[in-house]
Amino acid sequence: MAARTTQRTAAAPSSQLVEMAWDPITRIIGNLGIYTKIDFANRRVAECHSTSSLFRGYSMFMKGKDPRDAGFITSRICGICGDNHTTCSVYAQNMAYGVKPPPLAEWIINLGEAAEYMFDHTIFQDNLVFVDYSAAMVAQTNPSVLARAENTQAPGAGIHGYRTIADIMRSFNPFEGDLYKEALQVSRVTREMFCLMEGRHVHPSTVYPGGVGTMPEPSLITDYLSRLMSILDFVKKSVAMNNDVFDFFYAALPGYEEVGRRRVLLGCWGAWQDPAVCDYRYQTMSEWGRSMYVTPGIVVDGELITTNLVDINLGIRILLGSSFYGDWVNEQPFVTHDPLGNPVDMRHPWNQTTLPEPQKRDFDGKYSWVMSPRWFDRRTGDHLALDTGGGPYARLYTTALAGLVDTPYVTSTGNSVRISLPKSERLPATTLEWKIPPWSNAIERNRARVYFVAYSAAMALYFVERALEGIRSGDTRVFTDFDVPDEAIGCGFHEAVRGVLSHHMVIQDGKIANYHPYPPTPWNGSPRDSYGTPGPYEDAVQDMPIFEENGPDDFKGVDIMRAVRSFDPCLPCGVHMYVGNGRTITHQHSPMLGAQHG
């Protein structure tokens, strides 16, 4: 029998805490671990820590570089959503250089980013997230749930064609399931769509400050459109399948809304510029931010407290606490005031200095290379541990509440988002409506993802129309020339696939003096900060109930993995289980679980 570390708590004398860890949980490299203490007697996670063992240091080696290289360098931060970094860097550079790209260039970037959302969300949802909800997985973790699924009719059968919930779950089986295989084909098509616009996936070769290098031929747009129309049946079908399975889980496992649940604390930095409004000037950022086709915002306990990108920017704080870094508050600030004269905090990314201090991991002290980004709420004085809801959840939530997006294909109502898709090869014209749910939990983060694929497809249709309109008018300009100033600051705000993405740049003597990109995973995967506030992964897992039917000896941790993966944390490549004292007992999870065993 495997060794265990067991603790008894004063509050619950009969409970036993078993230490279990999943490390690594990553997409391509081993830099995310989840360490827990599980109370099996009461079926709850008593404690959770999220840790990263990887230091990269982009902010350090960006110093002294030519600012025009920033987009090409920072795209290498991620091998999955590098284009989001390029785009965000270009936005920051446009501000710093004082350049406004031609409208057609913006429509081309919007089309590329829409394709990226469709590509990445599809491959993550259908080829990795759904492994945790597949018949192969549920048979191992909750056989009684699978038995119930065999006898539960699927309400959306007329759309997706699967008679029972178990039939849908079998379609999720890795390598073998119909949906799994179809999603791979759709991912190929959407990747082709991306490459038409941005040249290369995922490190764009045609996206620059001032515009793009893509040649705006009508055939370019129609090639994109034909591919887009070919996947609309899949998009419509996927939404119905998601709704059927997730609603079934709520019914089959009463209380499952508590898995991955945390307070509604959401951040969205907005996506897809409107070239009629956006001029990239900081002085007008609040106006052009609100004109984005995904509305930026901060949501606290269901209330949208701001959609102003200037307020969002000034509220960002980078805290330490449990991170392997020294403090920089005694360093000289790079930026004391923003271009509007507002004071800039020393813990803002413009002023951050990265001072790595490697040391042994200590969960009572410092235990992660991830810092703790927080948003300072001036109303309360709190440093809020915002999460992105995996990206789509926050995007849909802020857009729904703001009521600002109003296009023929996507409309925000104030409490929902309506998405209209035209007739496709098999299915009729369809209007989908994402409504704000009562919980911020694992299922609703996952459900939002497939709705945002539909949102992206719908907005891509709109961007196609605008791009063709520009080409037909004869305005085929895609680039505006610029000069790099000796002194400047810039900030870019965008939505990476997984959520909020910001790039802050300071130029001195014509070179980069300071550069800090903040993608979504530092927000979601941050450790406890200097105030003791846990990061979102930790918060979502800690104190959540366990519904898996297995005991400690063959525990797979599927509920914990569903909670963590719902944030889309650059997905798991392989997860090893540890029971006490760091002893490996089995290789429990992989992205292809169900296709192999052992």
Side-chain angles (χ1 to χ4, degrees):
M1 178 178 288
R4 285 172 177 73
T5 300
T6 303
Q7 300 178 354
R8 294 186 180 274
T9 63
S14 62
S15 68
Q16 291 187 335
L17 300 185
V18 179
E19 294 183 356
M20 289 191 171
W22 291 260
D23 190 353
I25 301 177
T26 74
R27 185 173 297 240
I28 48 176
I29 46 177
N31 65 346
L32 173 64
I34 296 294
Y35 287 73
T36 66
K37 293 180 181 178
I38 299 177
D39 178 355
F40 279 99
N42 294 298
R43 310 296 294 174
R44 303 195 75 81
V45 180
E47 186 178 305
C48 177
H49 290 83
S50 169
T51 176
S52 174
S53 58
L54 180 70
F55 172 70
R56 306 190 75 186
Y58 269 82
S59 59
M60 299 175 72
F61 61 71
M62 288 294 289
K63 292 185 178 183
K65 299 290 192 297
D66 187 317
R68 293 168 295 185
D69 291 338
F72 296 107
I73 296 172
T74 57
S75 84
R76 272 68 183 178
I77 289 173
C78 182
I80 303 299
C81 54
D83 61 286
N84 300 146
H85 280 285
T86 297
T87 299
C88 195
S89 178
V90 161
Y91 289 167
Q93 290 178 72
N94 288 342
M95 180 181 291
Y97 308 154
V99 60
K100 174 179 167 57
L104 189 53
E106 295 287 14
W107 298 129
I108 287 171
I109 290 176
N110 287 355
L111 284 165
E113 294 303 276
E116 169 65 10
Y117 293 138
M118 288 183 271
F119 160 78
D120 200 320
H121 286 322
T122 295
I123 203 166
F124 180 72
Q125 185 86 338
D126 299 333
N127 298 126
L128 291 132
V129 164
F130 276 163
V131 172
D132 287 338
Y133 298 87
S134 68
M137 171 64 86
V138 176
Q140 297 180 41
T141 62
N142 297 82
S144 66
V145 171
L146 183 58
R148 177 169 173 166
E150 295 285 5
N151 298 303
T152 302
Q153 298 295 307
I159 299 171
H160 53 63
Y162 294 97
R163 187 178 64 83
T164 68
I165 299 298
D167 290 335
I168 299 176
M169 293 164 72
R170 275 186 283 274
S171 79
F172 297 162
N173 283 348
F175 294 132
E176 303 160 349
D178 292 339
L179 183 82
Y180 183 94
K181 291 185 286 189
E182 187 177 0
L184 292 174
Q185 291 298 322
V186 169
S187 294
R188 176 177 177 173
V189 172
T190 48
R191 201 173 192 183
E192 290 171 353
M193 292 162 62
F194 175 91
C195 291
L196 286 169
M197 297 299 149
E198 299 193 24
R200 181 175 59 193
H201 192 268
V202 294
H203 307 305
S205 56
T206 59
V207 177
Y208 324 121
V212 299
T214 306
M215 296 302 293
E217 299 290 337
S219 60
L220 173 82
I221 309 300
T222 56
D223 284 351
Y224 182 103
L225 178 59
S226 66
R227 288 170 170 81
L228 175 59
M229 294 302 296
S230 75
I231 67 169
L232 291 187
D233 274 350
F234 176 85
V235 173
K236 296 170 186 176
K237 183 173 70 173
S238 295
V239 172
M241 294 172 75
N242 274 249
N243 285 334
D244 284 358
V245 168
F246 292 143
D247 291 346
F248 167 78
F249 265 79
Y250 281 143
L253 295 168
Y256 209 75
E257 67 274 5
E258 296 300 319
V259 170
R261 184 178 179 184
R262 72 183 302 256
R263 182 183 173 194
V264 180
L265 295 171
L266 299 171
C268 170
W269 295 171
W272 296 318
Q273 305 291 359
D274 181 351
V277 182
C278 181
D279 60 7
Y280 292 101
R281 295 172 59 240
Y282 189 92
Q283 291 83 348
T284 58
M285 188 163 70
S286 61
E287 288 78 25
W288 54 258
R290 291 190 179 102
S291 75
M292 288 178 171
Y293 293 104
V294 168
T295 307
I298 306 285
V299 178
V300 178
D301 298 327
E303 178 188 355
L304 183 64
I305 64 172
T306 187
T307 56
N308 188 334
L309 272 180
V310 173
D311 290 343
I312 288 171
N313 175 52
L314 293 172
I316 298 174
R317 301 286 187 273
I318 308 303
L319 304 185
L320 296 176
S322 303
S323 306
F324 297 140
Y325 298 94
D327 208 339
W328 60 85
V329 290
N330 295 323
E331 303 287 323
Q332 281 292 111
F334 289 92
V335 181
T336 59
H337 292 79
D338 73 358
L340 291 170
N342 299 305
V344 177
D345 194 85
M346 194 62 194
R347 295 200 179 279
H348 187 274
W350 267 329
N351 288 321
Q352 179 186 334
T353 299
T354 303
L355 303 170
E357 294 183 350
Q359 56 197 276
K360 183 179 179 180
R361 184 168 59 200
D362 178 5
F363 288 126
D364 293 322
K366 299 185 181 230
Y367 58 87
S368 182
W369 280 110
V370 178
M371 294 186 187
S372 296
R374 299 291 185 259
W375 192 77
F376 180 68
D377 188 347
R378 289 182 296 177
R379 307 170 308 159
T380 62
D382 294 333
H383 290 78
L384 300 177
L386 303 178
D387 72 75
T388 73
Y393 188 70
R395 290 196 280 271
L396 289 165
Y397 211 123
T398 59
T399 301
L401 288 177
L404 296 175
V405 174
D406 186 12
T407 75
Y409 299 99
V410 176
T411 305
S412 166
T413 70
N415 54 33
S416 69
V417 176
R418 291 198 187 111
I419 304 161
S420 297
L421 296 173
K423 182 181 183 301
S424 45
E425 183 178 355
R426 188 179 68 85
L427 294 173
T430 303
T431 297
L432 306 168
E433 187 169 15
W434 181 87
K435 298 178 180 178
I436 294 174
W439 310 291
S440 178
N441 64 11
I443 279 181
E444 297 307 332
R445 291 181 205 110
N446 287 332
R447 190 198 303 265
R449 192 172 296 113
V450 73
Y451 273 89
F452 196 76
V453 172
Y455 189 126
S456 299
M459 286 310 308
L461 290 166
Y462 180 76
F463 300 147
V464 162
E465 292 175 357
R466 300 286 74 76
L468 286 174
E469 190 177 83
I471 292 172
R472 288 168 185 151
S473 73
D475 185 3
T476 57
R477 296 173 300 122
V478 292
F479 186 77
T480 303
D481 207 358
F482 61 88
D483 293 315
V484 177
D486 288 337
E487 312 283 331
I489 61 173
C491 56
F493 290 93
H494 187 35
E495 282 287 302
V497 174
R498 284 145 201 87
V500 297
L501 176 59
S502 61
H503 281 224
H504 286 81
M505 179 170 66
V506 178
I507 299 173
Q508 294 176 354
D509 299 324
K511 301 292 184 182
I512 294 175
N514 205 20
Y515 199 108
H516 288 281
Y518 270 94
T521 296
W523 288 86
N524 294 329
S526 61
R528 285 158 174 78
D529 62 28
S530 48
Y531 296 97
T533 305
Y537 294 170
E538 298 175 330
D539 186 36
V541 171
Q542 190 160 289
D543 201 37
M544 70 171 239
I546 297 296
F547 289 84
E548 181 178 337
E549 295 170 19
N550 296 322
D553 291 335
D554 52 1
F555 186 68
K556 292 178 171 51
V558 68
D559 302 306
I560 295 170
M561 291 298 98
R562 286 171 182 156
V564 175
R565 289 184 181 121
S566 70
F567 290 97
D568 193 352
C570 290
L571 34 126
C573 284
V575 180
H576 294 75
M577 176 178 285
Y578 295 78
V579 179
N581 300 322
R583 178 179 173 186
T584 305
I585 60 169
T586 181
H587 189 158
Q588 293 286 5
H589 294 276
S590 81
M592 307 309 169
L593 183 69
Q596 79 276 342
H597 304 280

